[in-house]
Every structure is written in C-alpha cells, then in structure tokens.
Amino acid sequence: MQPVSRRQALLLGGLGIAATAAGSAGLIWTLTSREPFVTGSELTQPPEERSTNGQLQVRLEAAPGQIRLAGRPAAALCYNGSSPGPTLRIRAGDVLKIMLVNNLAQATNLHVHGLHVSPEGNGDNVFIAVEPGGTFDYEYKLPRDHPPGVYWYHPHHHGMVADQVFAGLFGAIIVEDPEPIEASVERVLVISDTTLDTLGNIPAVPVMERMMGREGELILVNGQSNPQFTARPGQRERWRIVNTCVARYLRLRLDGQQMQLLGMDSGRFPAPETVEELLLTPGNRAELLVTASTGDAVLRAFYQNRGSMPGMMGPGFGARSPADQPDGAALATLRVSGEPVASPASVPAQQALGDLRSAAVAARRQIVLAVGMGMGGGAGMMRFTINGKEFNEARTDTTVAAGNVEEWTLTNTSPMDHPFHLHVWPMQIIEENGQATKTAIWQDVVNVRANGRVKVRVDFRDFRGRSVYHCHILDHEDVGMMSAIEVR
Ligand code: C2O
Ligand code: CU
Ligand code: CU
C-alpha cells in the first residue's frame, strides 16, 4: 500500500468523497507503482477540429503513444497522440474528410458510429482494412437534414475492435445544432474503461472475460479519473456524454442536480425530459442539460446487472458483481459555488426524427441473438451468434429493398444482455418486452435484455450499400456476433 500524499488527502477531503468514492474508483489505496493515480484534477477537453465552409479535413493517425490515464503514464493507442482523439465538430450538409494513417503494428480502419452517411466506397465502409504503414482517405457526406447530436468514431476491423478501443482508440463527433441552445459552457465527456498494470501497460484480457465482455478497472472521463469542474448556481451546462466502454453499462446519476435529457444517440426529443437516471449501454450517447444548484454533485456510475454466461450462476467471469465493484463509482464532480446567475433562455423547440409507428411495414424479420456451447464446450468454445451464425464477411445475411420500412423483432435467447447496433440507419423502438412504447424513441444501440425481446422499425429510404449490425459488447462482435446487411 502506498501512503496518500498530503496533497491527495487534501484534495479528497475537499471533494468530500474521502475513502469510499476514491476507493470505488479502484485507486489511491492499492497502488504499487511509483507514480500514483490522480483523481480530482481539473477536467480537460479533448482537442477539437471544426468544419469551415461546409468541410472538415483531418489527418487521423492511429499509433501507440505514451500518455497519461488517470494521471499515470500509460502505454496506450492514440489518435493524433491523445486518447480520446480529437473531437470533430461538423454540421448537417458538411463533407467530412478523414485521412486515416495506420501506424499501429496491426490492421485497423475507421467507423463513424451513428452518422447517417453512405456505407459504400470510401464512405462509412467497415469492410476496408488499412494495413500497418498504410493510409486511407475516407469521405463522408452528411445529408442537409442530418440530425444534430453527439456521435463517435472508433476502429471496426473485425476481430480487433475490442482490443483497439480498450487501448484508447475512440473520439467524439458533434453535429452542431441548427439553432444554438443557450448554455454557460459545453463539455464533452467521453467515458471509457481500461486496465493498467503496474508498468502502465494494458494487459491482455483472458478469454473468460472476453466472453462476458471485459470491464476495465479504471473508469475514465476524457482519460481522467473523477475530474472536477465548477459552475455558479443557476448556470445551465451542456454535457455531451459518450459511452465508449467495450462492455460496461453505465447507469448514471447526478445527485443533487437537475438533468434534462435532450436526446439519446441520434435525434432529439421534441422537448427536454427531466431524468433521475440514465442507462448508457456501450455505444450509446446522451445530450444533457444540467442546471447547477448550490452544492457539489458527483456524476456516478451504478452497477447494472447485465446477466451471466449460460450455465453459470450469478455474474459470469469478467463481469463486475456488486461485491467486487463498489457501487456508484465517481466519474466526475461538479462543484457549484459563487453568486447565482439569472436562468437561461428556454430551449428552442427541437426537430424530432419522425414516427414509424403508423408507417406501412414492407417486411418483418426475426433477429435472434444467442450464446451457446460450440464444439467441445468450455468457455473458450462459446459461440456468439445472430440467427445461428457467426460473422462471415463474404456472406450477406440480410438483403433489404431500398425505400422500405422494415420491422425487426430482436430476440435474445441468452441469459445475458446484448446491446444491438445497426450502422447507418437509426432504429425506432416500438415495443420492449411486450410493452408498446408511448413515444417515438430513436436509438442506434438498443439494449435487448437477457431472454428479452425488442421490436424496432427502420426506414431504409436512403443510402444503399453493404454494412453491418452487431452486438456492441465489442468482445462479442469480435467473436462473431455480427451480420452483414445490404440495401439495394
Ligand atoms: Cu460503434 Cu459497428 O459500431
Ligand atoms: Cu456503429
Ligand atoms: Cu453481446
């Protein structure tokens, strides 16, 4: 055990979170390396690149880098030397050009998660592989009516996605509002998790943990552990949250402060919704307004039971049970003090994404997510399948006629949750475990509970081409829980 320095003790005391919260981040008290983890430092923002005159052109270099994670030196993978990589700020109608430079020792590629853009050619094409030393010029043309919101980018080279994301390859994309929403400050909060050994390396993840979906020992916001920031009472902050974790579900609460949800993933609710709690499964994003009231508030992630492996009692290997993960890990701390300010202007009416509940459905499909024993049994032999099959790049599993609205029933026959993600075309949830939804809820990652069922509708009115749908527990995607779709 390493003694806590006077400065750290003061910091922790000052934050009023002392032993439990600091310990719950897994830090401080158990260090064996020379450099301690740091919690409670001032929140930093990833670097930003902003479009001008309808275009943003960036060079994105994926390479190993020596950076700091939770304040400690770490050997990670970075975009342009940082993790998260740069935040890309664009607008509907823009052209985004990304030159991906691969200076990793393995193949990679790039996916723009949630953007409604073409999957063909040098667009959002996950079938492209960029070999070590290679480069690729991606070009994404956003439609004029592209929904505003927070999106993100990450590698998508099948079989290596989880490891590359876990090592630090991800960044936020923001599609700006057509009409600005008044806020005192805007903060991008990219949440990730990873594990560092005593030398600052990210250790290989055992197969059993991959099967359950790995959860890192550190939960980070912009690479920091429980960073803090300040506001004055009455100020309205805008938070853009991305869950980039490979497998961790984030059940978020912000005690003592009002959270208003503008929308999840792509699109907006017609009016902001006041929420107490927010579940972000891997890949999900949230657009929040937080109106500060006096006192500190800690953004915390609570334990979410996401089931177990077949044939096991309780949480499977690799899953953090309430027993081994102190509940309510502190992710970030908002300190509110000073003179109150006048309340900000009301939020302008938001353009909702429409409603397919009364649309004519041209085709209905069954999508079955399953986990079963493969040949020989044993955890290493588990099969993660969609409609009985593991991913095969050469096979197209679903062919859709362009222009149609389809209804998909997502059925999970396994005892663990799977967050289901479809590229390019957002999904409207119309029924969850037998209950019809009361409002138009659009998401691009939809959680399908253990032994649960969700019905979604998808409008394939624009963009043809080949893409994928998969479980966004990236370990599951890598072992085959993914299918190819072609719209033509
Ligand atoms: Cu965020 Cu196919 O991925
Ligand atoms: Cu995606
Ligand atoms: Cu899964």
Side-chain angles (χ1 to χ4, degrees), residues 405-416:
V405 172
E406 296 205 350
E407 182 174 293
W408 292 10
T409 301
L410 314 172
T411 303
N412 180 356
T413 63
S414 75
M416 63 199 298

Side-chain angles (χ1 to χ4, degrees), residues 418 471 473 476 481:
H418 299 288
C471 175
I473 288 177
H476 295 171
M481 204 172 219

Side-chain angles (χ1 to χ4, degrees), residues 111 113-114 154 421 423 470:
H111 167 50
H113 179 130
H154 63 80
H421 174 50
H423 285 206
H470 59 88

Side-chain angles (χ1 to χ4, degrees), residues 262-317:
L262 285 170
M264 284 263 294
D265 293 356
S266 50
R268 293 287 160 75
F269 306 143
E273 278 176 27
T274 300
V275 292
E276 282 278 295
E277 193 176 281
L278 186 61
L279 178 66
L280 295 185
T281 70
N284 281 140
R285 290 89 60 209
E287 289 260 20
L288 282 175
L289 295 176
V290 174
T291 304
S293 47
T294 306
D296 294 352
V298 183
L299 181 68
R300 294 183 188 277
F302 286 85
Y303 172 74
Q304 172 75 10
N305 182 0
R306 56 183 180 88
S308 59
M309 293 289 290
M312 288 176 189
M313 301 291 284
F317 294 89

Side-chain angles (χ1 to χ4, degrees), residues 451-485:
N451 299 306
R453 205 178 66 177
V454 179
K455 274 189 199 173
V456 298
R457 287 187 180 176
V458 184
D459 189 349
F460 292 98
R461 94 191 117 173
D462 50 12
F463 298 124
R464 289 159 197 256
R466 208 159 166 263
S467 193
V468 291
Y469 52 85
H470 59 88
C471 175
H472 216 290
I473 288 177
L474 298 174
D475 285 305
H476 295 171
E477 175 197 337
D478 279 339
V479 296
M481 204 172 219
M482 175 154 77
S483 299
I485 177 174

Side-chain angles (χ1 to χ4, degrees), residues 258-468:
Q258 222 200 15
M259 289 197 292
Q260 285 178 295
L261 188 59
L262 285 170
M264 284 263 294
D265 293 356
S266 50
R268 293 287 160 75
F269 306 143
E273 278 176 27
T274 300
V275 292
E276 282 278 295
E277 193 176 281
L278 186 61
L279 178 66
L280 295 185
T281 70
N284 281 140
R285 290 89 60 209
E287 289 260 20
L288 282 175
L289 295 176
V290 174
T291 304
S293 47
T294 306
D296 294 352
V298 183
L299 181 68
R300 294 183 188 277
F302 286 85
Y303 172 74
Q304 172 75 10
N305 182 0
R306 56 183 180 88
S308 59
M309 293 289 290
M312 288 176 189
M313 301 291 284
F317 294 89
R320 310 270 153 190
S321 69
D324 63 16
Q325 175 183 278
D327 210 6
L331 300 187
T333 300
L334 169 64
R335 313 194 65 183
V336 184
S337 63
E339 283 298 300
V341 299
S343 50
S346 60
V347 178
Q350 299 292 302
Q351 175 81 45
L353 273 186
D355 194 343
L356 299 177
R357 281 176 296 177
S358 54
V361 172
R364 292 189 155 79
R365 287 178 206 277
Q366 301 292 329
I367 307 276
V368 178
L369 308 168
V371 180
M373 288 293 181
M375 287 182 313
M381 294 291 176
M382 284 288 176
R383 294 182 71 226
F384 288 78
T385 58
I386 298 181
N387 289 352
K389 293 177 184 142
E390 283 153 331
F391 181 65
N392 177 347
E393 173 163 357
R395 184 187 68 223
T396 297
D397 301 278
T398 303
T399 305
V400 171
N404 281 354
V405 172
E406 296 205 350
E407 182 174 293
W408 292 10
T409 301
L410 314 172
T411 303
N412 180 356
T413 63
S414 75
M416 63 199 298
D417 291 17
H418 299 288
F420 181 85
H421 174 50
L422 169 63
H423 285 206
V424 183
W425 303 274
M427 299 175 278
Q428 183 183 349
I429 303 173
I430 60 161
E431 194 187 296
E432 241 170 325
N433 302 313
Q435 294 274 59
T437 47
K438 291 183 189 70
T439 53
I441 303 169
W442 289 87
Q443 280 172 215
D444 54 51
V445 182
V446 171
N447 193 38
V448 190
R449 299 296 312 256
N451 299 306
R453 205 178 66 177
V454 179
K455 274 189 199 173
V456 298
R457 287 187 180 176
V458 184
D459 189 349
F460 292 98
R461 94 191 117 173
D462 50 12
F463 298 124
R464 289 159 197 256
R466 208 159 166 263
S467 193
V468 291

